[in-house]
Amino acid sequence: MVLLSILSIPFIAAIILLFVKQNEKANYIAIASSGITLALALNIAFNGAANFDTSWISSINARFVLTADGLSKILLLLTGISFPAILIATSKNDIKNRAQFLSLMLFTQTGLLGVFLAGDALLFYFFWELALIPVYFLCSIWGGEKRIAVTFKFFIYTFLGSLFMLIGIILVYTHTADQSFAIQSFKEANLNFGQQLTAFALFFTAFAIKMPIFPLHTWQPDAYEQSPTAVTMVLSAVMVKMGLYGVMRWLMPLFPEAFAAHSNFVVILSVIGILYASFIAIRQDDMKRLIAYSSIAHIGLMSAALFANNEIGTQGVLIQLFSHGVNVIGLWIIADIIEQQTGTRSLKEMGGLAKQNPTLGILLVGFAFANIALPLTNAFVGEFLMFNSLFQFNPWIAAAAGVSVVLAAIYTLNMVQKCAYGEVSEKINKMQVPNVPAQFVLIVLFIVVILSGVYPAPLFDLTADTLKQLFIK
Amino acid sequence: MNAIIASALLGVLMMFASWIFDNEKTHTRIALAGLLALIVANLLQLNGVYTVSIDYKDMLSFTQFGLYVNTILFILTFLYVWLNGDEIAKIGNHAADFYALFFFILCGASILTSFNNLLMLFIGIEILSIPLYILTGSDKKNLNSNEAALKYFLMGAFSTGIFLLGITFIYGATGTFQLTSPSLNPATGMAKEQLMYSAGLILIFVSFNFKVSAAPFHFWTPDVYDGAPTVFTSFMATIVKATAMIAFVVLFHSQFKALGYAWELLLTFVLISTLFVGNITAVFQRSVKRMLAYSSIAQVGFMLFALYGPTNFANEGILLYIMAYSVASIGLFGVLIKMKEYSFEAFNGLAKKEPLLAGMTTLFLLSLAGIPLTGGFFAKYYMLNAAVQSGIGLWLVALAILFAAVSIYYYFKLIQAMYFVEGEPAIQEVEQGYKYKLLVFAILILGLGILPNVFLSYLYF
């Protein structure tokens, strides 16, 4: 029942918000709803929750099953933390029709939670698409100048990908022994190697577009840049995780042979993507684009480690799913505060943030360190494990991916230098009043960064069962 | 049987209603009451109650499936008239005349859901078609409407001829019109009879493609849909098309399955060209009404998947499909009727002026595009599953999916106009009651999209 309520709270709140007119009231409702969701997520993560299972479409044996194992829990935690953080941090931003905006945000949250909880392939697909629709409207209505074309590209890309996954689901479904969509039946489906390859390709297309893996990434930087920042945060912190989640939930257990056969191919693509994104990030002057490319590089590393197909790498990815989300939200919030108050995203026009607002300066440095995975920060734990796994997979590939660490240091520290240090620039001088709620959120997130960096054991415990399932047969 | 008799009688009754009552509103009320009576009569038979017993020499057979389709069609017509009554009254002199035609069409439809004999099938199609020619040309002062009616009539007559020729061939090969007769089995015939049988089959196949407007036999569709008064386009593109599609599926799932290969190859060709023509041409339309005409062709492409095999998925799927498609289309046309002009630009800024209307339009469009939470998703899902199960190549399914992605382009163009473009929408005043009526359609779409089970379970009672 807890699982059903965590899904229905944002949904009900979203519907209520459709009828709310005042901005203030809407803010409270949305933040309260996301706060309750966070509490429930914490409860589920650390106390566990019973499966919710009820009949849905009996004639084709599709069931409404919600289930939470380690993999789901860690993403529930991430979704749970992200939304209140995002909503509070952007609560002072000037957004037209805020109630509708928040309503769509909460619909997105419902879709995301559904994806992470679904224990039935058709239900998974259902939520997978559902998470996309509100985002389409959010970006197209509240986005930047080129929003309509960019969002449409993003939508068509991901929609096409998920349709391929739908064929994959149908294909596996017709080969299940009991004609059911349950994960267990899918795992036991009677597929020969050729069919596995086809099904793998169909599922993989959807996940590769979502992550995205080079060369299917072209929708992403534009979409991140053009979306309103609150949505960008959702996209980059939580939504891209849908792709990685899909790989771990469906690809690895369902098509082990096809997965192994493709690991070289995908790892190489991912590493190309990492280097490509890192080099582009170095050349960026726009802070939002820089963070976007940096995020692509990080996700690339996660997909490489996942497809290296060993236990240590998968462990790293499971931890990093959470850490990357927290770090990237932190960076976005800082970028957003600066943009809201100064009206610029260009690094050239910044400088002297540390003098102007020392707290924000320190936080920027802190999140920058987390972004390059310095020890003591949360990202170090995950990235260390992931590089370890890549090294086991192939030292040369590990070396190539390792270059990205250096590159990450270059672009991140460059950003810090240009933004935080030097004389106070004309634009930064405009930042007279600190944005208190946003800074509060940043401090809380930073505490999470350090805590999970120093003492990551709870996260390991949380994901142990998923790891065991994937690797110990 | 109840439905066939009741609808014919009600049709005659409606014809005289315009003599007795002068008020058009009264006509609509009588029609609605008549439709309710029709639904009840049909439900009675579904539960085993017969009003009359006629020896129809086994030329009709009433199956659970057919009767349930009747129920769906009648309910859809009821909703359609309930929504559009005022608009129908605006056309021509007496609304009652049109309602009479509707009842005759439904009479044809109920024959088409229960035929067991090729002659009955033919009669059903004719009873269904002839009122349609009149409806198309009912806007007498509009040249487009006249042209459309003439075009429709000529094309329709031509395809009827082809259909008759096909029946003749089959009769020549087997000596019977009866569909369940054992002699209607091509495997036992000699080579010459086999040939005649195949020729007949292909002619009937072609003629049906005319009726459901599948490419390359679709050329009449855009002009007729565009020329006819929008209320009647709404009726033709949904309820009539659904009926023809059901008859098509039932006929080819029956005896003709035996001769599979010959027409399945042809079907694949028709299916691909329908998806291609419908989707690609829709992309370039400037008028929403024409776009909907082409989109209705594209939707037929998906429905044709049901023909591949008489699986559970195909049977349930086609029902789900006609429900989801008809409800969404009637709703969309219902919005379109209220527009002063039909260009995409006319919808600019609709979301600001009429948020509820724009929201419902979006829902209908999402359903046609097949997005989850709307009925269209399960409709498409069942069709694709039927296709995979029947063993045709995955490539065909993948191709269909690509075209589904193309369809996103033109459906979303309308959403973009409503939500993301500023402007003054060219819309008439819409009274609150009308919006609530449309809301029923929106709720139905959501219902079909969340619990399709509810709508399908009656199939098995």
Side-chain angles (χ1 to χ4, degrees):
Chain A
M1 262 341 248
V2 191
L3 295 180
L4 187 65
S5 41
I6 197 173
L7 204 58
S8 33
I9 283 169
F11 184 70
I12 294 168
I15 290 178
I16 293 174
L17 281 173
L18 284 177
F19 301 99
V20 174
K21 289 276 179 324
Q22 304 95 315
N23 289 346
E24 279 299 306
K25 213 162 145 194
N27 252 341
Y28 287 130
I29 294 175
I31 291 171
S33 142
S34 65
I36 299 172
T37 314
L38 172 61
L40 283 175
L42 283 168
N43 181 24
I44 292 168
F46 295 107
N47 295 334
N51 288 358
F52 180 81
D53 189 341
T54 176
S55 159
W56 182 29
I57 308 170
S58 52
S59 63
I60 58 174
N61 209 358
R63 300 186 68 77
F64 193 96
V65 183
L66 302 176
T67 165
D69 63 350
L71 176 58
S72 307
K73 284 176 189 166
I74 200 141
L75 284 163
L76 279 192
L77 269 187
L78 176 64
T79 318
I81 290 183
S82 306
F83 274 82
I86 294 168
L87 295 180
I88 295 173
T90 57
S91 59
K92 282 199 170 172
N93 291 9
D94 181 32
I95 296 169
K96 257 197 266 172
N97 299 330
R98 178 177 279 272
Q100 285 168 30
F101 180 83
L102 293 172
S103 163
L104 286 169
M105 286 288 273
L106 292 185
F107 275 125
T108 314
Q109 192 187 18
T110 314
L112 288 166
L113 290 169
V115 167
F116 299 143
L117 287 173
D120 175 287
L122 196 63
L123 192 65
F124 172 75
Y125 180 81
F126 202 78
F127 283 121
W128 176 276
E129 289 273 348
L130 228 52
L132 187 62
I133 303 291
V135 169
Y136 171 75
F137 282 97
L138 280 169
C139 297
S140 299
I141 297 178
W142 287 278
E145 227 171 293
K146 289 181 288 178
R147 61 185 189 274
I148 295 178
V150 164
T151 314
F152 199 50
K153 181 177 169 189
F154 159 59
F155 185 82
I156 291 266
Y157 242 109
T158 40
F159 184 70
L160 193 62
S162 44
L163 281 176
F164 280 113
M165 177 168 74
L166 184 64
I167 308 182
I169 291 176
I170 294 174
L171 186 67
V172 182
Y173 170 76
T174 49
H175 286 93
T176 50
D178 53 346
Q179 297 285 299
S180 113
F181 292 96
I183 295 185
Q184 202 49 39
S185 316
F186 264 48
K187 279 182 193 162
E188 288 155 7
N190 182 21
L191 296 167
N192 62 31
F193 187 61
Q195 287 160 336
Q196 260 201 32
L197 285 182
T198 317
F200 174 87
L202 291 167
F203 274 86
F204 178 71
T205 315
F207 301 148
I209 289 175
K210 205 80 177 186
M211 279 193 256
I213 288 179
F214 178 88
L216 299 172
H217 66 283
T218 54
W219 61 268
Q220 201 182 37
D222 288 340
Y224 281 10
E225 189 192 355
Q226 293 297 323
S227 305
T229 314
V231 180
T232 312
M233 292 181 207
V234 175
L235 281 177
S236 62
V238 191
M239 211 149 206
V240 288
K241 306 290 160 50
M242 282 164 63
L244 293 159
Y245 172 85
V247 172
M248 282 192 263
R249 174 68 75 225
W250 301 99
L251 278 188
M252 290 172 88
L254 259 53
F255 322 115
E257 284 117 56
F259 190 84
H262 281 85
S263 62
N264 256 326
F265 171 67
V266 182
V267 168
I268 289 174
L269 276 187
S270 307
V271 171
I272 293 176
I274 301 173
L275 294 176
Y276 170 85
S278 303
F279 278 115
I280 295 184
I282 291 180
R283 303 281 305 154
Q284 293 302 319
D285 179 53
D286 184 319
M287 197 166 175
K288 231 177 151 178
R289 278 188 93 86
L290 190 149
I291 301 174
Y293 277 107
S294 144
S295 178
I296 295 179
H298 283 104
I299 297 289
L301 180 61
M302 285 156 84
S303 95
L306 208 50
F307 278 85
N309 203 10
N310 49 34
E311 195 174 341
I312 190 164
T314 310
Q315 175 69 75
V317 173
L318 282 168
I319 303 287
Q320 191 69 358
L321 281 177
F322 179 75
S323 304
H324 169 264
V326 174
N327 296 348
V328 84
I329 290 183
L331 284 176
W332 285 124
I333 293 179
I334 296 172
D336 187 47
I337 296 176
I338 296 176
E339 192 193 347
Q340 291 290 327
Q341 298 195 350
T342 66
T344 182
R345 297 199 301 244
S346 165
L347 288 171
K348 273 192 208 118
E349 298 177 5
M350 296 177 193
L353 181 69
K355 257 185 212 153
Q356 185 73 13
N357 183 344
T359 325
L360 200 59
I362 292 170
L363 286 166
L364 172 62
V365 175
F367 279 105
F369 283 165
N371 197 40
I372 47 181
L374 237 54
L376 285 189
T377 64
N378 56 359
F380 172 73
V381 186
E383 289 214 355
F384 177 75
L385 292 171
M386 291 196 288
F387 276 113
N388 219 327
S389 102
L390 279 182
F391 192 79
Q392 277 180 18
F393 181 73
N394 182 334
W396 291 106
I397 285 181
V403 176
S404 76
V405 179
V406 182
L407 296 174
I410 295 177
Y411 60 73
T412 312
L413 294 179
N414 192 24
M415 174 182 79
V416 172
Q417 199 173 13
K418 280 185 180 160
C419 179
Y421 302 122
E423 285 307 304
V424 177
S425 74
E426 190 188 328
K427 295 266 181 181
I428 291 291
N429 200 27
K430 286 186 194 163
M431 299 177 63
Q432 296 295 348
V433 196
N435 184 339
V436 180
Q439 289 197 11
F440 166 73
V441 169
L442 280 173
I443 291 168
V444 172
L445 288 180
F446 193 64
I447 292 171
V448 174
V449 167
I450 297 296
L451 263 186
S452 53
V454 178
Y455 183 61
L459 293 180
F460 282 107
D461 293 344
L462 203 61
T463 53
D465 59 340
T466 302
L467 205 62
K468 203 165 143 195
Q469 251 183 7
L470 284 175
F471 286 96
I472 301 163
K473 293 286 178 291
Chain B
M1 201 65 217
N2 288 359
I4 299 176
I5 295 170
S7 55
L9 286 178
L10 283 163
V12 177
L13 197 75
M14 265 334 283
M15 280 163 61
F16 291 105
S18 57
W19 277 11
I20 304 165
F21 301 103
D22 230 7
N23 187 348
E24 309 238 316
K25 276 229 152 69
T26 321
H27 297 174
T28 308
R29 281 192 203 114
I30 297 175
L32 286 175
L35 282 165
L36 272 184
L38 197 53
I39 294 168
V40 171
N42 188 60
L43 283 179
L44 281 178
Q45 183 168 1
L46 202 57
N47 293 309
V49 184
Y50 294 81
T51 44
V52 282
S53 74
I54 301 170
D55 181 15
Y56 40 81
K57 307 282 181 214
D58 208 23
M59 288 167 91
L60 296 167
S61 80
F62 297 97
T63 58
Q64 188 80 15
F65 181 80
L67 290 173
Y68 186 50
V69 171
N70 277 352
T71 319
I72 295 175
L73 292 174
F74 298 159
I75 292 177
L76 282 173
T77 312
F78 178 83
L79 288 172
Y80 162 82
V81 172
W82 180 59
L83 179 73
N84 290 316
D86 294 343
E87 288 296 324
I88 297 172
K90 281 184 199 157
I91 301 167
N93 296 329
H94 298 291
D97 298 351
F98 300 131
Y99 294 132
L101 292 173
F102 285 167
F103 279 111
F104 292 137
I105 289 175
L106 289 182
C107 178
S110 25
I111 295 176
L112 282 178
T113 54
S114 54
F115 63 92
N116 193 29
N117 183 300
L118 287 172
L119 280 181
M120 286 318 280
L121 175 63
F122 175 73
I123 290 171
I125 287 188
E126 284 311 290
I127 298 179
L128 182 83
S129 300
I130 291 170
L132 282 180
Y133 306 141
I134 307 171
L135 286 180
T136 310
S138 55
D139 194 0
K140 285 180 212 153
K141 286 179 191 139
N142 185 341
L143 265 185
N144 282 339
S145 172
N146 287 325
E147 184 199 331
L150 188 65
K151 233 179 210 168
Y152 194 17
F153 176 67
L154 287 177
M155 286 294 207
F158 189 61
S159 91
T160 302
I162 291 177
F163 189 76
L164 269 181
L165 193 58
I167 294 182
T168 316
F169 270 118
I170 289 189
Y171 185 76
T174 62
T176 177
F177 291 121
Q178 205 61 14
L179 277 171
T180 42
S181 154
S183 62
L184 194 75
N185 188 353
T188 56
M190 289 181 294
K192 199 173 80 186
E193 279 143 13
Q194 281 265 16
L195 198 67
M196 270 163 67
Y197 193 91
S198 306
L201 198 67
I202 286 169
L203 288 172
I204 292 180
F205 181 77
V206 165
S207 163
F208 256 114
N209 281 322
F210 260 112
K211 294 291 175 203
V212 300
S213 66
F217 311 103
H218 66 284
F219 289 100
W220 60 272
T221 319
D223 289 344
V224 171
Y225 282 12
D226 201 19
T230 310
V231 250
F232 296 142
T233 310
S234 166
F235 189 72
M236 282 194 282
T238 55
I239 294 156
V240 174
K241 186 174 264 197
T243 314
M245 201 64 219
I246 291 283
F248 198 2
V249 170
V250 168
L251 180 67
F252 278 78
H253 276 184
S254 67
Q255 290 282 328
F256 292 171
K257 193 65 199 155
L259 245 182
Y261 187 70
W263 63 270
E264 269 180 6
L265 193 68
L266 207 63
L267 171 63
T268 308
F269 168 73
V270 167
L271 198 151
I272 293 174
S273 41
T274 306
L275 284 172
F276 182 83
V277 170
N279 284 303
I280 301 295
T281 324
V283 166
F284 299 105
Q285 297 308 314
R286 294 197 166 170
S287 145
V288 175
K289 197 174 171 187
R290 267 189 106 80
M291 181 274 274
L292 285 176
Y294 280 104
S295 112
S296 87
I297 296 175
Q299 300 282 348
V300 165
F302 259 95
M303 294 188 216
L304 287 175
F305 274 119
L307 279 168
Y308 278 107
T311 55
N312 247 352
F313 270 108
N315 282 333
E316 294 183 2
I318 191 73
L319 282 185
L320 212 51
Y321 211 113
I322 62 165
M323 281 192 264
Y325 165 74
S326 301
V327 173
S329 299
I330 294 176
L332 263 184
F333 278 111
V335 177
L336 197 65
I337 288 168
K338 295 291 173 190
M339 304 305 288
K340 287 179 196 145
E341 50 162 331
Y342 296 152
S343 66
F344 277 89
E345 286 77 32
F347 283 81
N348 285 356
L350 187 69
K352 235 183 212 145
K353 198 170 175 203
E354 298 279 358
L356 182 63
L357 217 53
M360 290 187 296
T361 312
T362 307
L363 195 68
F364 298 142
L365 287 166
L366 291 180
S367 177
L368 287 180
I371 308 275
L373 210 65
T374 62
F377 166 67
F378 280 114
K380 283 212 167 67
Y381 174 77
Y382 272 66
M383 285 296 132
L384 293 178
N385 213 331
V388 172
Q389 247 179 8
S390 70
I392 48 160
L394 264 189
W395 63 270
L396 188 57
V397 181
L399 199 72
I401 291 264
L402 283 178
F403 283 119
V406 172
S407 78
I408 292 283
Y409 179 82
Y410 52 84
Y411 291 132
F412 274 53
K413 207 157 86 174
L414 198 57
I415 297 182
Q416 287 174 352
M418 289 188 302
Y419 279 90
F420 315 141
V421 186
E422 305 274 319
E424 187 54 32
I427 189 167
Q428 307 162 9
E429 278 305 313
V430 185
E431 66 261 37
Q432 212 61 25
Y434 191 78
K435 286 183 205 161
Y436 291 135
K437 285 179 183 172
L438 271 175
L439 205 56
V440 172
F441 286 80
I443 290 167
L444 272 177
I445 283 290
L446 283 177
L448 281 164
I450 296 168
L451 292 168
N453 222 12
V454 175
F455 296 84
L456 290 175
S457 53
Y458 295 105
L459 198 51
Y460 303 105
F461 273 123

